[in-house]
Amino acid sequence: MRNWKIGWKLFVLALVVAALPMRRAVAQGTATVRGTVIDSTSQQPVGAAQVSLVGTNRTTQTDASGVFRFTGVPVGPVTVRVQSIGVAQGSRTVTVNEGETAAADIVLQPVVTTLSQVVVVGYGSSSRADVTGALSTVQASDIRNTPIAGIDAALQGKAAGVQITQNAGNPGNGISVRVRGSASLSASNQPLFVVDGAPVQSGDFSQVGFGGQDLTAVTNLNPDDIETITILKDAASTAIYGSRASNGVVLITTKRGIAGANRVTFNIYNGWQRAEKRLEMLNGPQYVAYMAEGMRNDGYTQQEIEDTGFGIGIDDQFSTNWQDEVFRTAPVRDMNLGFTGGTGRVKYFLSGSYFGQEGVAIGSAYNRASGRANVDIDPSDRLSISASLALSRDVNYRVVGDNTIVGVVANSIAEQPNVPVRDATGAFSTFDSNGLQYANPIAIATFDQNPTSTQRALANIEARYNLTNWAKFTARAAGDQLVLHERLWGSPLVIDSNGGVGGDAISGYHTGNRFVGEGFFTLTPWASSSRGTLTATLGASTERNKDELNFVEGQGFSSPALHDVGNATTIITYDAARKANNLISYFARTNVNLADRYLASASLRADGSSRFGPNNRYGVFPAFSLGWVVTQEPMLSPLARLGSIKLRGSYGLTGNQGISDTAYRATFGSANYGKAAGISPAILGNPDLRWEQTKELDLGVDWAMFDSRIALVVDHYTKKTSNLLVSRPVSATSGFTSFTSNVGNIENRGWEFELATDNIRGDGNGGFSWQTSFNYSTNKNRVTALYQDQPFTSGIDGINSVRVGEPLGAFYTIRFTGVDPATGDAQFFDLNNDGQINTDDRVVVGNPQPTYWGGFTNTFGFKNIDIRGSLQFSGGNKIYNGIRAFADDGGFFRDNKFAYVLNRWQQAGDITDEPRPSWDGNSLAYITSSRFIEPGSYARLQDVTVGYKIPTSFARSVGMQNTRLYVSGRNLHTWTKFKGYNPDVNSNGSGSNLSLGTEFYSYPQARTWLVGLSGEW
């Protein structure tokens, strides 16, 4: 409570101080200012440019013809300033006389966008030149026509400091997004997503485990509706969002209407996909011979080998490539239709979209239909209103896979290749009919059904009122409702899976509701001052979250045609729950620009969360930053020949509240005895539970040179997180074994580089042009403190560990030292020299987190042709290839084996790293060790697009304009030493903080080719 009182007093004090310069308005004559904004290179009008009257809060946008207009402008000298992405800021001063219209046409020069653009920041926007924090931007053109479901995947390789892991390749899969590394053990490590100023739900609402194939709410957001994405990375940029900002903030701005003639835009593409890679496995005869060799090595007789099913010439008559049976060429399509237009007072943007993607594995698919309406109304010169409504419905057909040994993809790798898909009767092969080891993957895909539907509504209304020329009040209300329904059907026709229980059905609902209400003042008291600019933001917000879920599972169905759980004879699992959490906040920020060379920003946010106990319910999160434009300093004027150089520094505190709603409470739960109702203690409470806190120092430089044709941004950060929210052990004599407490620290350090170059600038008449963008990031993550410095493990076979001095999730197992040339057995490092190999010999053998990553994009233009290509890379990490525990185990399990096991040891003196086959496991090849840890570094040709702009004369003859035909390919080639499908993987899913870098029968990624057409009329 004390922190809340301090935050409230600071908020009131800032509001009073900022209001001191108020002065009484004086009645005077008015006039109109009208102008047209033109691109100097193309000589074309610049639509949707932001136009402001310097010294006031009045802003507008140019229409499609580049025209803007201000009415009711006081007579006298007036300065108009124009900002737009891709061009340098421009301004013009004109003198207006009462009752007249003054012309203020402005010509803008194109520049590299990195340091010139207008960027969205928390609770406002700013020119990049005035920003003193660390941020990255991604434009709509960077993610357009990308054949993926969610915007999070589209960010991969596009922004420095932002690491994206695909986890798996199934359509609509949840993506891991990390901004400047992982900073929490048990709270969320995903960033905060903000759409048109309102924080939205972005977590996984699924109740059913599909291995690593989780569902995140970010996938519901339609990439076709997005105008810009800004990623806030350092504390100075994110602290305005306080308790949810330690993992970074992703600000998404959707498209708005442009005044002028009504326009209809369309974009449609159709493509096809295939699995990027298929694993090389043994064929039927090779498999039988290899398994027979393993039995002979262990002393089995020929008769015993044949009786087990490995008779050469007997059991090798079939050779089934199960991957060929499971994988297919699958279509992907996207259709988007937009409507925009309006007058100077009313503007609108309407869109409708359909995205459909069948998976490369049979039985999987993702479909989404969505619509959006954005309306902007200016009832008067003082009042502006913006309203948005987005509706979507998606259906995800998942197949069991990732982190499972029973699934369509998993079984296509594991099944014996000497067994046919169907038996002699034409039915699917089973264990009883043909000795098939696992459930037939073709039968699973044919008979099982797992549709998950999500319906979502995002609504937002915002009103902005200019109280004076330098004071504006903004009020915003937003709602986010998500309803997810999961229906799973395990058919009894899949004999080796659900046949024994007569079928299995699941039905689950999960509803998430969020309401956000905000109000804030934007003050510019130095609007008419020659000293510089001062902008203050002061406000408050409230957020209400409610979740409700239910779940029921039944078994035993009278007919395979009856799929609903209500037809089950036995209900085996049921659950239901309701939960809620609230957040109330007060925030203030001040930005100062003196003489365009001295920049400063300071912010303060006080948050109160119902997720924390009464002793620490409120947290205060301050931040400040400084900037110095060195080349504007008179005494350093010779440096101006080098371009524009700005030095930046920031420091601040952010928080993390991504835990359960009742973590601090001592709770009771049901403990029924037969039919007698009862309760018992469930959670040990902790009223002292507090926020995770991240302190971050950032030092950076922005350098634009050669007439802004080269722009370089460099940042170095140190990010230290303390008070980690962890479930730590307690004595069992308390009646509990653990409770949530604040224990431990994590540190992330790294460098970020962004380089944008305008290599060859076009002449505006179809001349050759070439632009390049490059980003490179490094991050070193390590755990610096734990409860009594006690390490613990996670993941498959405890392969991941959390220990002081090591990166989060470091691989911890015994070290493989090679194959004994004399015996062919695997050898391991005996740490304690006791002559035995066991868990006491485990050591850290690798880091699952990439230590560097980035992207490289080139864009070319010549006449009507444009070409764009992107390369994405990541490295410095290792991957645990858990498939090898069954497919490179020396024949200990009946699973099929990787083809490279044929390089095994066969006789004394053989030098190889592949142990001899052994049916009894005597070669120790099956033991989890560093032998299964592989390099995770890769470089990928992410996408290549070739476009052709149809000549205007022809397009107009069919009533269209700006018509473009394009061909695009994605995920075209990956260079890596990793032996699995793809190194961009974690089979534990996007919500995993500790079990990282694991490949365990993941769904492969797709290589996609598509053809599309876009235009307008």
Side-chain angles (χ1 to χ4, degrees):
M1 181 61 70
R2 180 176 179 272
N3 286 338
W4 178 86
K5 290 180 179 179
I6 293 174
W8 173 247
K9 289 177 180 178
L10 289 172
F11 171 74
V12 173
L13 178 61
L15 182 60
V16 172
V17 170
L20 288 178
M22 291 186 68
R23 54 191 176 271
R24 183 178 302 172
V26 178
Q28 56 181 313
T30 61
T32 299
V33 176
R34 182 186 185 281
T36 303
V37 180
I38 300 295
D39 185 308
S40 66
T41 299
S42 65
Q43 296 301 308
Q44 295 298 311
V46 179
Q50 180 179 311
V51 187
S52 60
L53 287 180
V54 177
T56 75
N57 273 331
R58 297 187 59 182
T59 62
T60 188
Q61 281 190 337
T62 57
D63 62 19
S65 300
V67 176
F68 65 89
R69 182 192 305 269
F70 289 102
T71 60
V73 178
V75 298
V78 173
T79 300
V80 178
R81 179 177 295 156
V82 181
Q83 295 174 315
S84 183
I85 296 171
V87 290
Q89 176 179 289
S91 62
R92 182 174 179 182
T93 300
V94 296
T95 300
V96 297
N97 298 317
E98 184 174 356
E100 295 182 356
T101 298
D105 297 338
I106 299 175
V107 178
L108 301 180
Q109 302 293 325
V111 295
V112 172
T113 63
T114 302
L115 298 179
S116 66
Q117 62 203 63
V118 179
V119 294
V120 178
V121 295
Y123 301 98
S125 62
S126 175
S127 168
R128 183 66 185 262
D130 295 333
V131 171
T132 52
L135 53 82
S136 294
T137 57
V138 178
Q139 306 302 325
S141 58
D142 296 325
I143 61 175
R144 186 180 297 130
N145 306 326
T146 303
I148 53 178
I151 60 170
D152 41 10
L155 295 176
Q156 190 171 43
K158 299 294 192 297
V162 182
Q163 180 206 345
I164 307 293
T165 303
Q166 301 276 356
N167 295 319
N170 55 295
N173 186 53
I175 306 297
S176 296
V177 182
R178 299 292 182 265
V179 178
R180 294 187 167 182
S182 298
S184 183
L185 295 179
S186 57
S188 174
N189 275 313
Q190 296 280 85
L192 173 68
F193 285 83
V194 179
V195 178
D196 289 334
V200 299
Q201 302 172 105
S202 59
D204 180 11
F205 284 76
S206 175
Q207 300 180 73
V208 182
F210 276 78
Q213 297 184 26
D214 52 11
L215 302 173
T216 59
V218 177
T219 310
N220 302 118
L221 304 176
N222 181 14
D224 290 324
D225 290 339
I226 292 173
E227 185 69 33
T228 62
I229 301 174
T230 302
I231 301 101
L232 309 181
K233 298 182 291 187
D234 70 329
S237 302
T238 63
I240 195 70
Y241 289 101
S243 62
R244 297 163 295 174
S246 63
N247 302 317
V249 180
V250 179
L251 303 178
I252 298 170
T253 302
T254 60
K255 297 174 182 177
R256 314 297 301 188
I258 301 176
N262 297 326
R263 291 188 301 152
V264 178
T265 62
F266 69 91
N267 185 28
I268 182 171
Y269 66 72
N270 194 74
W272 58 98
Q273 315 158 91
R274 302 197 67 181
E276 179 199 18
K277 176 182 178 180
R278 300 191 184 188
L279 302 179
E280 293 186 27
M281 311 298 293
L282 298 179
N283 61 31
Q286 291 172 331
Y287 169 78
V288 171
Y290 180 84
M291 299 299 288
E293 182 181 330
M295 295 191 72
R296 283 195 301 272
N297 286 343
D298 291 342
Y300 289 89
T301 67
Q302 183 61 31
Q303 187 61 49
E304 289 173 320
I305 293 173
E306 292 180 4
D307 290 345
T308 309
F310 300 125
I312 297 176
I314 302 173
D315 299 304
D316 55 2
Q317 301 305 301
F318 291 99
S319 187
T320 301
N321 188 322
W322 289 95
Q323 292 180 94
D324 285 348
E325 300 294 331
V326 163
F327 296 137
R328 63 185 175 183
T329 299
V332 59
R333 62 190 65 85
D334 183 77
M335 294 174 283
N336 186 75
L337 193 64
F339 305 85
T340 183
T343 65
R345 291 290 188 183
V346 179
K347 298 180 286 291
Y348 68 89
F349 170 78
L350 306 175
S351 72
S353 177
Y354 173 79
F355 176 81
Q357 181 180 18
E358 293 189 19
V360 295
I362 56 176
S364 61
Y366 176 84
N367 301 300
R368 181 186 61 229
S370 63
R372 171 172 287 274
N374 288 351
V375 180
D376 299 287
I377 304 173
D378 297 329
S380 70
D381 292 338
R382 289 180 176 269
L383 178 63
S384 299
I385 300 174
S386 298
S388 301
L389 176 64
L391 303 174
S392 66
R393 184 180 189 274
D394 61 31
V395 181
N396 196 320
Y397 297 89
R398 292 181 286 176
V399 294
V400 176
D402 295 78
N403 204 8
T404 179
I405 58 172
V406 180
V408 173
V409 175
N411 292 9
S412 74
I413 299 171
E415 300 286 21
Q416 311 100 298
N418 63 325
V419 178
V421 174
R422 296 179 181 269
D423 61 23
T425 68
F428 287 116
S429 292
T430 65
F431 178 81
D432 290 336
S433 67
N434 275 332
L436 196 64
Q437 184 71 12
Y438 302 104
N440 192 310
I442 318 303
I444 295 174
T446 302
F447 297 125
D448 288 357
Q449 297 180 20
N450 306 308
T452 299
S453 63
T454 305
Q455 299 181 72
R456 191 174 192 181
L458 289 172
N460 187 333
I461 185 168
E462 177 180 299
R464 300 169 297 277
Y465 188 77
N466 292 319
L467 301 170
T468 70
N469 283 339
W470 56 272
K472 178 174 66 177
F473 179 73
T474 301
R476 178 186 297 138
D480 180 2
Q481 183 183 62
L482 183 149
V483 179
L484 182 142
H485 180 205
E486 295 173 286
R487 291 185 295 114
L488 279 75
W489 170 242
S491 174
L493 298 177
V494 184
I495 304 299
D496 296 322
S497 180
N498 295 298
V501 297
D504 184 281
I506 291 175
S507 177
Y509 279 90
H510 194 165
T511 301
N513 292 280
R514 172 172 292 179
F515 170 79
V516 178
E518 296 178 323
F520 57 93
F521 292 92
T522 303
L523 311 173
T524 54
W526 292 0
S528 301
S529 173
S530 60
R531 294 175 294 177
T533 61
L534 169 64
T535 303
T537 302
L538 308 112
S541 71
T542 182
E543 182 178 300
R544 301 287 187 265
N545 295 279
K546 291 184 178 181
D547 282 46
E548 185 171 350
L549 59 86
N550 58 54
F551 178 93
V552 61
E553 180 178 8
Q555 292 181 344
F557 291 80
S558 58
S559 168
L562 302 176
H563 297 178
D564 294 324
V565 68
N567 297 310
T569 58
T570 305
I571 300 299
I572 63 171
T573 306
Y574 52 89
D575 188 23
R578 290 179 296 168
K579 54 184 179 178
N581 70 84
N582 303 322
L583 187 72
I584 187 169
S585 309
Y586 305 93
F587 53 88
R589 181 182 59 208
T590 300
N591 297 320
V592 180
N593 180 336
L594 297 176
D596 286 333
R597 61 177 181 268
Y598 305 120
L599 310 172
S601 178
S603 66
L604 176 71
R605 183 171 178 122
D607 279 342
S609 173
S610 64
R611 286 178 166 174
F612 296 95
N615 297 342
N616 292 291
R617 180 150 292 170
Y618 291 88
V620 178
F621 305 96
F624 69 91
S625 59
L626 298 172
W628 179 29
V629 184
V630 178
T631 48
Q632 291 281 12
E633 196 67 54
M635 63 180 178
L636 299 175
S637 57
L639 292 177
R641 290 176 297 178
L642 301 176
S644 174
I645 301 175
K646 179 174 67 178
L647 305 181
R648 297 179 282 105
S650 69
Y651 181 81
L653 276 63
T654 53
N656 191 338
Q657 61 148 10
I659 57 173
S660 69
D661 295 334
T662 58
Y664 83 91
R665 294 178 181 272
T667 63
F668 287 78
S670 63
N672 301 333
Y673 184 76
K675 294 184 178 181
I679 60 173
S680 67
I683 298 176
L684 181 62
N686 181 3
D688 295 320
L689 199 65
R690 66 178 62 196
W691 314 81
E692 287 188 350
Q693 186 180 81
T694 297
K695 301 176 181 178
E696 185 171 4
L697 172 67
D698 183 279
L699 300 174
V701 58
D702 299 344
W703 186 3
M705 60 196 89
F706 301 116
D707 193 26
S708 295
R709 295 181 65 168
I710 299 177
L712 175 66
V713 179
V714 180
D715 281 275
H716 179 269
Y717 61 88
T718 300
K719 184 177 175 182
K720 298 182 178 181
T721 304
S722 59
N723 297 327
L724 293 178
L725 294 161
V726 178
S727 179
R728 74 168 179 85
V730 295
S731 173
T733 58
S734 66
F736 301 88
T737 58
S738 65
F739 82 117
T740 304
S741 181
N742 294 100
V743 179
N745 302 329
I746 293 177
E747 179 182 274
N748 288 277
R749 293 175 179 266
W751 288 89
E752 296 171 358
F753 301 87
E754 288 187 340
L755 176 66
T757 62
D758 193 353
N759 306 313
I760 300 176
R761 183 173 290 176
D763 58 9
N765 295 312
F768 182 73
S769 63
W770 173 24
Q771 295 83 37
T772 298
S773 64
F774 172 77
N775 68 82
Y776 179 83
S777 307
T778 70
N779 185 70
K780 182 179 181 181
N781 171 278
R782 68 187 183 104
V783 178
T784 56
L786 290 171
Y787 174 67
Q788 297 181 349
D789 285 348
Q790 295 179 3
F792 58 92
T793 60
S794 178
I796 300 173
D797 291 334
I799 193 72
N800 297 103
S801 70
V802 180
R803 39 203 326 112
V804 174
E806 300 293 341
L808 193 62
F811 291 125
Y812 184 67
T813 187
I814 58 177
R815 186 184 299 278
F816 173 69
T817 58
V819 174
D820 187 344
T823 65
D825 294 341
Q827 295 180 307
F828 306 98
F829 175 60
D830 187 0
L831 179 65
N832 54 14
N833 295 314
D834 64 354
Q836 297 181 354
I837 300 299
N838 51 38
T839 57
D840 294 335
D841 297 306
R842 291 179 297 174
V843 294
V844 174
V845 296
N847 180 5
Q849 301 187 50
T851 58
Y852 67 88
W853 62 90
F856 181 61
T857 300
N858 281 282
T859 304
F860 306 92
F862 181 68
K863 296 189 180 299
N864 288 11
I865 299 174
D866 61 90
I867 302 174
R868 181 186 180 91
S870 297
L871 180 75
Q872 181 254 327
F873 59 89
S874 176
N877 62 308
K878 301 291 186 179
I879 296 175
Y880 167 58
N881 190 346
I883 301 176
R884 295 178 62 179
F886 298 91
D888 186 9
D889 61 343
F892 186 61
F893 296 100
R894 281 182 176 265
D895 298 51
N896 196 9
K897 313 303 174 189
F898 287 122
Y900 60 74
V901 302
L902 298 179
N903 298 322
R904 79 270 184 210
W905 183 96
Q906 290 182 287
Q907 60 185 5
D910 282 353
I911 304 299
T912 180
D913 60 359
E914 193 61 40
R916 66 183 176 91
S918 170
W919 176 253
D920 293 331
N922 295 327
S923 67
L924 306 180
Y926 70 93
I927 292 180
T928 297
S929 70
S930 63
R931 192 168 78 91
F932 300 158
I933 305 296
E934 301 181 9
S937 300
Y938 70 91
R940 174 190 296 142
L941 183 56
Q942 184 83 317
D943 57 69
V944 174
T945 300
V946 179
Y948 176 74
K949 186 176 181 180
I950 297 176
T952 303
S953 57
F954 179 79
R956 287 180 176 174
S957 68
V958 293
M960 295 191 298
Q961 57 183 336
N962 295 328
T963 308
R964 177 174 174 265
L965 179 69
Y966 58 91
V967 177
S968 182
R970 181 173 175 83
N971 199 18
L972 298 179
H973 187 75
T974 301
W975 294 269
T976 183
K977 295 182 179 179
F978 178 61
K979 297 177 181 178
Y981 280 125
N982 197 290
D984 188 13
V985 65
N986 183 24
S987 293
N988 294 301
S990 65
S992 178
N993 290 351
L994 311 180
S995 303
L996 306 173
T998 297
E999 158 64 288
F1000 198 71
Y1001 298 102
S1002 69
Y1003 190 114
Q1005 295 192 31
R1007 175 179 294 120
T1008 306
W1009 290 97
L1010 59 88
V1011 178
L1013 181 70
S1014 64
E1016 62 183 62
W1017 63 83

